[in-house]
Amino acid sequence: MSQSAELTIEIDAYLERLFCLNRSLTGEGNRQTLRILSEIAPIETKEYPCSTQVYDWVIPDEWSIRDAWIKDSSGEKIVDWQTNNLHIVGYSEAVDRKVSFEELAPRLHYFEDNSRGIPYRTSYYDRHWGFCVTQIQYEKLRSASGKLDVFIDSDFNSSGSMTVGEIKIAGRKKEEFLVSTYLCHPSMANDNLSGLITTAILARAMLNRGVPEHSWRFVFVPETIGAIAYLKFNELAMKTVRGGFVVTCCGGPGALGYKETYIADHLVDRAVRLAFRDRNIEPLHYRFVPDGSDERQYSSPGFRIPVASITKDKYYEFPEYHTSLDNLEFVCGAQICESLTVYEDAIRIVDENCLIRTRVPNGEAQLGRRGLYPKVGGAIGQSAAFGDDQDNQQAQLDLIGWVLFLADGNHDLIAVAERSKHRFRAVQSCVALLLEQDLIELIPSSQAASTARVN
Amino acid sequence: MSQSAELTIEIDAYLERLFCLNRSLTGEGNRQTLRILSEIAPIETKEYPCSTQVYDWVIPDEWSIRDAWIKDSSGEKIVDWQTNNLHIVGYSEAVDRKVSFEELAPRLHYFEDNSRGIPYRTSYYDRHWGFCVTQIQYEKLRSASGKLDVFIDSDFNSSGSMTVGEIKIAGRKKEEFLVSTYLCHPSMANDNLSGLITTAILARAMLNRGVPEHSWRFVFVPETIGAIAYLKFNELAMKTVRGGFVVTCCGGPGALGYKETYIADHLVDRAVRLAFRDRNIEPLHYRFVPDGSDERQYSSPGFRIPVASITKDKYYEFPEYHTSLDNLEFVCGAQICESLTVYEDAIRIVDENCLIRTRVPNGEAQLGRRGLYPKVGGAIGQSAAFGDDQDNQQAQLDLIGWVLFLADGNHDLIAVAERSKHRFRAVQSCVALLLEQDLIELIPSSQAASTARVN
Amino acid sequence: MSQSAELTIEIDAYLERLFCLNRSLTGEGNRQTLRILSEIAPIETKEYPCSTQVYDWVIPDEWSIRDAWIKDSSGEKIVDWQTNNLHIVGYSEAVDRKVSFEELAPRLHYFEDNSRGIPYRTSYYDRHWGFCVTQIQYEKLRSASGKLDVFIDSDFNSSGSMTVGEIKIAGRKKEEFLVSTYLCHPSMANDNLSGLITTAILARAMLNRGVPEHSWRFVFVPETIGAIAYLKFNELAMKTVRGGFVVTCCGGPGALGYKETYIADHLVDRAVRLAFRDRNIEPLHYRFVPDGSDERQYSSPGFRIPVASITKDKYYEFPEYHTSLDNLEFVCGAQICESLTVYEDAIRIVDENCLIRTRVPNGEAQLGRRGLYPKVGGAIGQSAAFGDDQDNQQAQLDLIGWVLFLADGNHDLIAVAERSKHRFRAVQSCVALLLEQDLIELIPSSQAASTARVN
């Protein structure tokens, strides 16, 4: 079985195990989720106490729910939370009461078209209770005779905490990048179980490759409040993070897409575009808007960390979004693998990118005596005369030419790939060869000089 | 009657009263014109003495004309200045003589096609006399038997002066903008009676709105020499004017247009483009060329004030240009109102634009506890589920998101409008709301930091 | 006979005389070539000793060849170097031996299609010998019975030298530009006899015009090693050369083309584009790639001299490239003249370009009292009324307007030509007129201020 087929099966298994857990801003569902994801990569969990002020926000009480239902007067359960977490408005308070349909109606959320399933609704910061139901359930409740029996067994614990997960990988250089995903959406597969699993596997892949060039942190947080709290608890470190990704909605059946960072041509953007280009994929391109996911937090004026997302059915863009139809029929391991592959490439490019400087600045290097140039010259560029070997040799020479020409300490590997149209991996191989020959040196981007421009 | 219908009637009345006055570089016609325009807004007039050196120029003597005609030998007036100011080459000296047609011919200006009317000609800096006539008049003069009786009763007063008008409106900030128009064209409606009336009404509108944010000066000068003299007499102040408008040719029947400033993407350009965009008008776009009107003076190397023009039948672009056909059949109040509206919007945008800075820089602000976010979440972006109210709410949230995201002290209201695609007025309302909530502060552009870029 | 017809005939004569000389990296053929080119312009030759280390390279031994052939067993010469220099792999060592076809085959270079002629091959830095033959010769050798008699009478002299040619022309300003061409290709007319002759004539033309504004050096070097050695022997001077041209492949029957500098919008690029524009030619446009000619040396990170090429059948782009078909049927004087003309224009533009500053910065200059404005005004822009004279006058006024408007010390003549759409020569005439009137001054680009921007 191929590695990719194995990975697909593995992801499918995690989708099954994780889908039904009741994730929210806080609570046991989140801890269970992180525990299972820890099987993939060593997630360290942190507990942030409830009521902590985090910038403009306060961490809410920890919410627990044990059961919830609506019965008609005959005792039949018309709505049962045990069958789908989405039936309850997130953070609903406890209730145990007989009510008329009229009393209940304002607390019912449903789509007028039954084919859209159950909507996803929350009320984190206003004490409230409510149910989300299908259109058929709504009709049943409306036509039920007599009072309806409404029951929610939940509570709030102000001594509880909000759980976040973190994997920090120290690299050769201190300069740090971020991969963040969010943990708070229950029983929806693309938004955002796909992101959780993808992030865990990305962390594992990086750990398996050995020490990375740069430092990375993989972060699993409840959306918004979790990211804000994470920024607050890691303020100093986060103020110097150079860029990153917010992993969300990357497992649908639709086309691959890319939401740019707020800078639009940041290193992270250049890496993502190159990753797609090297795979001959033209992704859907989403311009930056502040509406979205945790780029709202990471890229906020106080932090301005540029973050991009690689998507497969981006939030807002698919009809199943925030409904019970965003389920395991919509998402599968094979689809997640497609995004994962591009993410892995993009992260590698970000990580392994560096500036290059020639050790032979004056005139070109003599490649011939280093075995890098054909012994008999004259045929280069004479394309009609080339057989296959010569094609390869010419491509190799072309790439060596670009690397050495751009190697003035101001150009990075991505620039070479962009200008030469060679793949990033080919550029890396070429750079390795030239390093071996002591023809170039690598320099960290922080030491970039600003001299002659090669556009 | 609507405000706009009233305005149309008002403008039509001023067109009638002002059209026949004999405007020139100097003279009583200019003073009468400014006196009438003062009914609209309080124009202060200045008299600049003749013979004053103003940079490379000298203010010419004040010119007066009382009568002028050409009679044939039978005493019939073939050309009569009393019927149209354009019949005389501007600044013609006195003459009272009998001449043959051959002697007269070099002093006659006419179009070979009678349908083009009378041409407009001047000779300000070379003592000269001449007549401008229709092709039919020309033929009559040519075929007249005997000598022609030529009469011009004019004189030059070296103790006179050149008159300019000025309205200065002090704003909350010292930073100053300019609206300039020219006064010297007699008996042509689009060029430039339209500009004179528009400028006066723009000044009135600004005064009626109360103290503006920035300081403004509205200037009525003879073209070229008047603008140059104004720069000379106000050199210090004018060297710091930040931008402005030259109001000309804005009352024709053609399409609205916009001539950009020499910088092309100055604040003034951005404001004009936004004003048009917010009204869903795609104006004709004229690239900057130094040929034109008083941008030649204001934008000259020594001052470099970027000025734009909003036009409706721009000079050079309509066949009636500089002829007697640029008259009150060509121009009317309703047409002027169209340009005026865009000018008012553009000027307001320039005036009220400012930089914004968030008071909640780290992570996003919690809108919910300020009543700015729906209590039950999850539906945002789920567009199929939105009714009309939700659409509005989502648009509002979208705009709040843009304002707070861009509020890093480096972005102005125009940038928010450009990026978010919301109207400038909507941006202003949103900013007012967020100011009320103490979520942002406004800062003058002079205090702009240059930190993180949001493109 | 026209000057251009004379030039065509002259070039044709030089093509005939120079084509058959056996040029290489070193040797008598190069010296003969420079001696003949010296009839056109006074080339000073330099001898760089063999074995000299020049940056990453070593100047190779001087190669001489007196005869070479392959005979079959009957004594018939199947390949004879005397008929075409290309028959020998450049820098072949001596051999005098009877060999079987099988032994010889790896040392034979040929095209499988006889119609492509003889290939051009070299082996400068690996001692080697070999022959380049047509496909028919190859077949004859293969089918020859018995041993083949192989003979090359060549030697290497380590006490010899590599010859380069140079014409230095001191200009009014020290700032220096470069025109370089390469000398090492034997018996190919477009690559690069066309470049050699063109460069010599360009130097002559400059000398004939009198002292240029800037300093220029015209350089004739073997490609690669020659340019590298020249850089090494002139390191200090070359580190400050501002830009230039590499003259190559400019005599084919195809379309004119232009390979941009590595900067792509350098002064040199702007000059070349303007030269083409002013002749209404839309050249083929080749983006910069480091593969090519001696831009690899001059633009290397240590020197970064931006160099462009004007081409007519650029290397790589024509099927005769690096074959015996790149001959005098492919190239002729008339074709070379076409490139030459554009080169002359581009070089003049580079040379004569300068920054301009007005002496009347405040407001516009009064052109009327200097006789530069029509005495009777009002007709400007009134295009339908213009006869031919007025057209000219209006074009002249338009250009004066642009020059004076842009004359802030930050804009050069090229910028005026670009913005105004007037020809460079027209801009120069206008500037001369305004200099006469003391309205502007010229300033060297090194004194450019960086104040107001006019885009």
Side-chain angles (χ1 to χ4, degrees):
Chain A
M1 193 159 58
S2 76
Q3 212 185 341
S4 140
E6 268 178 40
L7 191 58
T8 299
I9 290 168
E10 182 191 7
I11 295 172
D12 279 328
Y14 279 110
L15 283 169
E16 285 292 342
R17 287 170 68 193
L18 290 162
F19 185 73
C20 291
L21 298 182
N22 188 42
R23 283 171 291 278
S24 182
L25 294 193
T26 56
E28 218 34 57
N30 292 15
R31 293 189 190 100
Q32 288 162 9
T33 299
L34 290 175
R35 220 172 291 131
I36 292 173
L37 289 172
S38 294
E39 300 171 13
I40 301 174
I43 299 172
E44 191 180 337
T45 57
K46 317 253 171 175
E47 299 289 341
Y48 295 153
C50 297
S51 303
T52 309
Q53 179 85 31
V54 286
Y55 301 129
D56 199 46
W57 300 68
V58 173
I59 297 176
D61 292 349
E62 184 173 331
W63 179 59
S64 302
I65 178 165
R66 285 160 296 272
D67 202 1
W69 39 256
I70 309 174
K71 292 182 184 167
D72 66 12
S73 57
S74 75
E76 191 197 342
K77 274 189 187 166
I78 297 176
V79 181
D80 182 357
W81 171 76
Q82 308 259 5
T83 66
N84 194 319
N85 290 312
L86 299 184
H87 275 316
I88 280 298
V89 170
Y91 261 62
S92 276
E93 60 191 345
V95 65
D96 183 2
R97 207 191 296 175
K98 289 198 166 48
V99 297
S100 69
F101 175 78
E102 286 64 34
E103 281 173 279
L104 182 60
R107 295 175 178 271
L108 292 178
H109 303 271
Y110 72 105
F111 297 119
E112 294 191 6
D113 174 358
N114 185 61
S115 74
R116 298 197 59 208
I118 311 161
Y120 165 55
R121 296 290 180 268
T122 62
S123 181
Y124 298 133
Y125 300 97
D126 278 281
R127 279 289 186 273
H128 179 83
W129 62 265
F131 285 82
C132 302
V133 301
T134 66
Q135 186 266 346
I136 287 178
Q137 286 172 323
Y138 183 82
E139 286 307 319
K140 267 197 193 159
L141 292 168
R142 181 154 76 141
S143 56
S145 62
K147 292 275 187 168
L148 293 159
D149 195 355
V150 174
F151 178 75
I152 299 177
D153 177 13
S154 70
D155 60 41
F156 295 92
N157 178 2
S158 64
S159 312
S161 59
M162 178 171 68
T163 313
V164 303
E166 182 189 64
I167 302 170
K168 285 165 74 172
I169 306 179
R172 287 178 222 283
K173 299 167 197 149
K174 287 251 164 120
E175 202 172 32
E176 192 163 12
F177 293 91
L178 167 77
V179 181
S180 178
T181 193
Y182 54 90
L183 183 62
C184 51
H185 283 46
S187 300
M188 285 172 294
N190 197 34
D191 185 14
N192 186 31
L193 195 45
S194 69
L196 289 169
I197 296 173
T198 297
T199 303
I201 295 176
L202 287 170
R204 179 177 69 187
M206 181 169 284
L207 286 163
N208 287 347
R209 274 205 307 275
V211 180
E213 289 301 315
H214 296 86
S215 296
W216 288 80
R217 59 177 76 208
F218 294 79
V219 169
F220 305 78
V221 288
E223 206 176 15
T224 308
I225 181 68
I228 291 168
Y230 188 83
L231 285 167
K232 176 71 178 173
F233 278 90
N234 298 275
E235 185 175 287
L236 215 63
M238 294 299 283
K239 291 261 180 192
T240 62
V241 166
R242 191 167 162 206
F245 299 89
V246 164
V247 186
T248 166
C249 295
C250 53
L256 283 161
Y258 144 63
K259 181 179 173 185
E260 66 191 22
T261 74
Y262 76 90
I263 289 176
D265 61 356
H266 183 262
L267 165 63
V268 167
D269 296 278
R270 295 166 68 222
V272 172
R273 285 188 201 126
L274 187 54
F276 275 115
R277 193 208 68 175
D278 280 358
R279 292 193 174 269
N280 298 313
I281 299 169
E282 187 68 60
L284 300 172
H285 180 203
Y286 302 107
R287 302 301 308 267
F288 178 81
V289 291
D291 182 19
S293 182
D294 281 328
E295 55 269 42
R296 289 198 311 265
Q297 319 316 329
Y298 298 124
S299 305
S300 62
F303 290 93
R304 286 294 195 233
I305 305 170
V307 284
S309 295
I310 292 167
T311 58
K312 203 161 144 52
D313 287 304
K314 191 182 84 76
Y315 48 86
Y316 303 165
E317 306 285 324
F318 58 103
E320 295 83 357
Y321 171 72
H322 275 196
T323 77
S324 58
L325 301 185
D326 178 3
N327 58 24
L328 297 187
E329 281 172 50
F330 186 68
V331 168
C332 65
Q335 289 163 191
I336 289 177
C337 270
E338 288 184 55
S339 307
L340 187 65
T341 303
V342 185
Y343 260 123
E344 279 191 329
D345 290 354
I347 285 172
R348 260 186 103 139
I349 293 172
V350 168
D351 188 53
E352 296 173 10
N353 189 46
C354 60
L355 295 164
I356 45 177
R357 186 156 50 202
T358 180
R359 290 182 180 283
V360 185
N362 294 317
E364 68 183 317
Q366 192 182 9
L367 300 179
R369 64 178 164 85
R370 295 176 176 93
L372 299 174
Y373 197 84
K375 296 203 170 197
V376 175
I380 297 303
Q382 208 175 35
S383 53
F386 277 106
D388 278 350
D389 282 349
Q390 279 170 305
D391 274 354
N392 284 341
Q393 197 173 46
Q394 183 161 17
Q396 174 73 353
L397 271 176
D398 178 66
L399 183 45
I400 291 175
W402 274 110
V403 172
L404 291 175
F405 186 81
L406 293 174
D408 54 13
N410 291 312
H411 290 86
D412 59 11
L413 303 191
I414 296 174
V416 176
E418 289 169 343
R419 292 289 301 269
S420 73
K421 301 190 172 63
H422 286 269
R423 288 170 199 272
F424 188 78
R425 301 240 171 167
V427 174
Q428 287 185 303
S429 305
C430 180
V431 162
L433 188 70
L434 298 176
L435 279 170
E436 234 172 66
Q437 297 280 353
D438 208 27
L439 282 171
I440 57 170
E441 58 188 333
L442 307 181
I443 49 175
S445 56
S446 53
Q447 286 175 35
S450 59
T451 59
R453 173 175 80 96
V454 177
N455 77 331
Chain B
M1 192 159 55
S2 75
Q3 210 184 343
S4 138
E6 270 179 38
L7 192 57
T8 298
I9 290 167
E10 183 191 8
I11 295 172
D12 279 328
Y14 279 110
L15 283 169
E16 287 290 344
R17 288 170 67 196
L18 290 163
F19 184 74
C20 292
L21 298 182
N22 187 41
R23 283 171 291 279
S24 183
L25 294 192
T26 57
E28 218 33 60
N30 292 14
R31 293 190 189 96
Q32 288 162 9
T33 299
L34 290 175
R35 218 172 293 129
I36 292 173
L37 290 171
S38 293
E39 299 171 12
I40 302 173
I43 298 172
E44 190 179 338
T45 57
K46 318 255 171 175
E47 299 289 342
Y48 296 153
C50 297
S51 304
T52 310
Q53 178 86 29
V54 286
Y55 301 128
D56 197 47
W57 300 66
V58 173
I59 298 177
D61 291 349
E62 186 174 329
W63 179 61
S64 301
I65 178 166
R66 286 162 293 275
D67 202 0
W69 40 254
I70 309 175
K71 291 182 184 165
D72 64 14
S73 56
S74 75
E76 190 198 342
K77 273 191 190 165
I78 298 177
V79 182
D80 183 356
W81 171 75
Q82 308 257 8
T83 66
N84 195 318
N85 291 311
L86 298 185
H87 274 316
I88 280 296
V89 170
Y91 260 62
S92 277
E93 59 191 347
V95 64
D96 184 2
R97 208 193 296 175
K98 288 198 166 48
V99 296
S100 69
F101 175 77
E102 286 64 34
E103 282 173 279
L104 182 61
R107 295 176 179 274
L108 293 178
H109 302 270
Y110 71 106
F111 297 118
E112 294 190 6
D113 175 359
N114 186 61
S115 73
R116 298 196 59 206
I118 311 162
Y120 165 55
R121 297 290 179 268
T122 62
S123 180
Y124 297 133
Y125 300 96
D126 277 282
R127 278 290 186 273
H128 178 86
W129 62 263
F131 285 83
C132 302
V133 300
T134 65
Q135 187 265 344
I136 286 177
Q137 287 172 321
Y138 183 83
E139 288 305 320
K140 269 198 192 156
L141 293 168
R142 181 155 75 142
S143 56
S145 60
K147 293 273 185 171
L148 295 160
D149 195 356
V150 174
F151 179 75
I152 300 177
D153 177 13
S154 68
D155 60 42
F156 296 92
N157 179 2
S158 63
S159 311
S161 58
M162 177 170 69
T163 313
V164 304
E166 183 189 63
I167 302 169
K168 285 165 73 172
I169 306 179
R172 287 177 221 283
K173 299 167 197 150
K174 288 249 163 123
E175 201 171 33
E176 193 162 13
F177 293 92
L178 166 76
V179 181
S180 178
T181 193
Y182 55 90
L183 182 61
C184 51
H185 282 45
S187 301
M188 286 172 292
N190 197 35
D191 185 16
N192 186 32
L193 195 45
S194 69
L196 289 170
I197 296 172
T198 298
T199 302
I201 295 176
L202 287 170
R204 178 177 70 188
M206 182 170 283
L207 286 163
N208 286 348
R209 273 205 307 277
V211 181
E213 290 301 315
H214 296 86
S215 295
W216 288 79
R217 60 176 75 206
F218 295 78
V219 169
F220 305 76
V221 287
E223 206 177 16
T224 308
I225 182 66
I228 291 168
Y230 189 84
L231 285 168
K232 176 72 179 171
F233 279 88
N234 298 276
E235 186 175 286
L236 214 64
M238 293 300 281
K239 290 262 180 193
T240 62
V241 166
R242 191 166 161 204
F245 300 89
V246 165
V247 186
T248 166
C249 295
C250 54
L256 283 160
Y258 144 63
K259 180 179 172 184
E260 65 191 23
T261 74
Y262 76 90
I263 289 177
D265 61 355
H266 183 262
L267 166 62
V268 167
D269 297 279
R270 295 166 67 221
V272 172
R273 286 190 200 123
L274 188 55
F276 276 115
R277 193 208 67 175
D278 279 358
R279 291 193 174 269
N280 297 313
I281 299 169
E282 186 69 58
L284 298 173
H285 180 204
Y286 303 107
R287 302 301 308 265
F288 177 81
V289 291
D291 182 20
S293 181
D294 281 328
E295 55 271 42
R296 287 198 311 266
Q297 319 316 329
Y298 298 124
S299 306
S300 62
F303 290 94
R304 286 292 194 239
I305 304 170
V307 285
S309 295
I310 292 167
T311 60
K312 203 161 143 54
D313 286 304
K314 190 181 85 74
Y315 48 84
Y316 304 164
E317 307 283 325
F318 58 104
E320 296 82 358
Y321 171 71
H322 274 197
T323 78
S324 59
L325 302 186
D326 178 4
N327 56 25
L328 297 187
E329 281 172 50
F330 185 69
V331 168
C332 64
Q335 290 163 193
I336 289 177
C337 271
E338 288 184 56
S339 307
L340 188 65
T341 305
V342 184
Y343 261 123
E344 279 191 330
D345 290 354
I347 285 171
R348 259 186 104 139
I349 293 173
V350 168
D351 187 53
E352 296 173 9
N353 189 46
C354 61
L355 295 163
I356 44 176
R357 187 156 49 204
T358 180
R359 291 183 179 284
V360 184
N362 294 317
E364 70 183 317
Q366 192 181 9
L367 301 179
R369 64 179 165 86
R370 296 177 175 92
L372 300 173
Y373 197 84
K375 298 206 167 194
V376 174
I380 297 303
Q382 209 174 35
S383 52
F386 278 105
D388 278 349
D389 281 350
Q390 279 170 307
D391 274 353
N392 285 341
Q393 195 172 49
Q394 183 161 18
Q396 174 73 354
L397 270 176
D398 177 65
L399 183 45
I400 291 175
W402 274 110
V403 172
L404 292 174
F405 185 80
L406 292 175
D408 54 14
N410 292 310
H411 289 86
D412 59 12
L413 302 191
I414 295 175
V416 176
E418 289 169 342
R419 291 289 302 268
S420 73
K421 302 188 170 65
H422 287 269
R423 288 170 200 274
F424 188 78
R425 301 242 170 165
V427 173
Q428 287 186 303
S429 306
C430 179
V431 161
L433 188 70
L434 298 176
L435 278 169
E436 233 172 66
Q437 296 282 352
D438 208 26
L439 281 172
I440 57 171
E441 56 188 334
L442 307 182
I443 48 175
S445 56
S446 52
Q447 287 175 36
S450 59
T451 59
R453 175 176 79 94
V454 176
N455 76 333
Chain C
M1 192 160 53
S2 76
Q3 210 183 346
S4 139
E6 269 177 42
L7 192 57
T8 298
I9 290 167
E10 182 191 9
I11 295 172
D12 279 327
Y14 280 109
L15 284 169
E16 285 291 342
R17 287 170 68 195
L18 290 162
F19 185 71
C20 291
L21 298 182
N22 187 42
R23 283 172 290 279
S24 182
L25 294 193
T26 56
E28 217 33 58
N30 292 14
R31 294 191 188 98
Q32 288 163 8
T33 300
L34 290 175
R35 219 171 293 131
I36 292 172
L37 290 170
S38 292
E39 300 170 12
I40 302 173
I43 299 172
E44 191 179 339
T45 56
K46 317 255 173 175
E47 299 290 341
Y48 295 154
C50 297
S51 303
T52 309
Q53 178 85 31
V54 286
Y55 301 129
D56 198 44
W57 301 66
V58 173
I59 297 177
D61 291 349
E62 185 174 332
W63 179 60
S64 302
I65 178 166
R66 284 161 295 274
D67 201 1
W69 39 255
I70 309 174
K71 292 181 185 166
D72 66 12
S73 56
S74 75
E76 193 199 339
K77 274 190 188 166
I78 299 177
V79 181
D80 182 357
W81 171 75
Q82 310 257 6
T83 66
N84 195 317
N85 291 311
L86 298 184
H87 275 316
I88 281 298
V89 170
Y91 260 62
S92 277
E93 60 191 342
V95 64
D96 183 2
R97 207 191 296 175
K98 289 198 166 50
V99 296
S100 69
F101 175 77
E102 286 65 34
E103 281 173 278
L104 182 60
R107 293 174 179 273
L108 294 177
H109 302 272
Y110 72 105
F111 297 119
E112 294 191 5
D113 175 358
N114 185 62
S115 74
R116 298 195 60 206
I118 311 162
Y120 165 55
R121 297 291 180 268
T122 61
S123 181
Y124 297 132
Y125 300 98
D126 276 283
R127 279 289 185 275
H128 178 82
W129 63 265
F131 285 82
C132 302
V133 299
T134 65
Q135 188 264 342
I136 285 178
Q137 288 173 319
Y138 183 82
E139 287 306 320
K140 268 197 196 160
L141 292 168
R142 183 156 72 143
S143 56
S145 62
K147 292 274 183 166
L148 294 160
D149 195 356
V150 174
F151 178 75
I152 301 177
D153 177 14
S154 68
D155 59 41
F156 295 93
N157 179 5
S158 64
S159 310
S161 58
M162 178 171 69
T163 313
V164 304
E166 184 188 61
I167 302 169
K168 286 165 73 172
I169 306 179
R172 287 178 222 282
K173 298 166 198 149
K174 287 252 166 117
E175 201 172 32
E176 191 162 13
F177 293 91
L178 167 77
V179 181
S180 178
T181 193
Y182 54 90
L183 182 61
C184 50
H185 282 45
S187 301
M188 285 173 295
N190 197 35
D191 185 14
N192 187 30
L193 194 45
S194 69
L196 288 170
I197 296 172
T198 298
T199 302
I201 295 176
L202 288 169
R204 180 177 68 188
M206 181 170 283
L207 286 164
N208 287 347
R209 276 206 306 275
V211 180
E213 289 301 315
H214 296 86
S215 296
W216 287 79
R217 60 175 76 209
F218 294 77
V219 169
F220 305 77
V221 287
E223 205 176 15
T224 308
I225 182 68
I228 291 169
Y230 189 84
L231 286 168
K232 176 70 178 174
F233 279 88
N234 299 276
E235 186 174 289
L236 215 65
M238 294 299 284
K239 290 263 179 191
T240 63
V241 166
R242 193 167 160 204
F245 299 90
V246 164
V247 186
T248 166
C249 295
C250 54
L256 283 161
Y258 144 63
K259 181 179 171 183
E260 66 191 22
T261 74
Y262 77 89
I263 288 175
D265 61 355
H266 183 262
L267 165 62
V268 167
D269 296 279
R270 296 165 68 221
V272 172
R273 285 189 202 124
L274 188 54
F276 275 114
R277 193 207 69 176
D278 280 359
R279 292 193 173 269
N280 298 312
I281 299 169
E282 186 68 60
L284 299 173
H285 180 204
Y286 303 106
R287 304 301 308 266
F288 177 81
V289 292
D291 183 19
S293 181
D294 280 329
E295 55 269 41
R296 288 198 310 266
Q297 319 315 329
Y298 298 125
S299 306
S300 62
F303 289 93
R304 286 294 195 235
I305 304 169
V307 284
S309 295
I310 292 168
T311 59
K312 201 161 144 53
D313 287 305
K314 191 180 85 73
Y315 48 85
Y316 305 165
E317 305 283 324
F318 58 105
E320 296 81 358
Y321 171 71
H322 275 196
T323 77
S324 57
L325 302 185
D326 178 2
N327 57 26
L328 298 187
E329 282 172 49
F330 186 69
V331 168
C332 65
Q335 287 162 192
I336 288 177
C337 271
E338 288 186 54
S339 308
L340 188 65
T341 305
V342 184
Y343 261 122
E344 279 192 330
D345 290 355
I347 285 172
R348 261 185 102 140
I349 294 173
V350 168
D351 188 53
E352 297 173 9
N353 188 47
C354 61
L355 295 163
I356 45 178
R357 187 157 49 205
T358 180
R359 290 182 179 285
V360 185
N362 295 316
E364 68 183 318
Q366 193 181 7
L367 300 179
R369 64 177 163 88
R370 296 177 175 93
L372 300 174
Y373 197 85
K375 297 203 168 197
V376 174
I380 296 302
Q382 210 175 34
S383 52
F386 277 104
D388 279 347
D389 282 348
Q390 279 171 306
D391 274 353
N392 285 340
Q393 195 172 50
Q394 182 160 18
Q396 174 73 353
L397 270 176
D398 177 64
L399 183 45
I400 292 175
W402 274 111
V403 172
L404 291 174
F405 185 81
L406 293 174
D408 54 14
N410 291 310
H411 290 85
D412 58 12
L413 302 191
I414 296 175
V416 176
E418 288 169 344
R419 290 290 302 268
S420 73
K421 300 189 172 63
H422 287 269
R423 289 172 199 270
F424 188 78
R425 302 243 171 165
V427 174
Q428 287 185 303
S429 306
C430 180
V431 161
L433 188 71
L434 298 175
L435 279 170
E436 236 173 64
Q437 297 280 353
D438 208 28
L439 281 171
I440 56 171
E441 57 189 332
L442 307 182
I443 47 174
S445 56
S446 53
Q447 285 174 36
S450 59
T451 59
R453 176 176 79 94
V454 175
N455 77 332

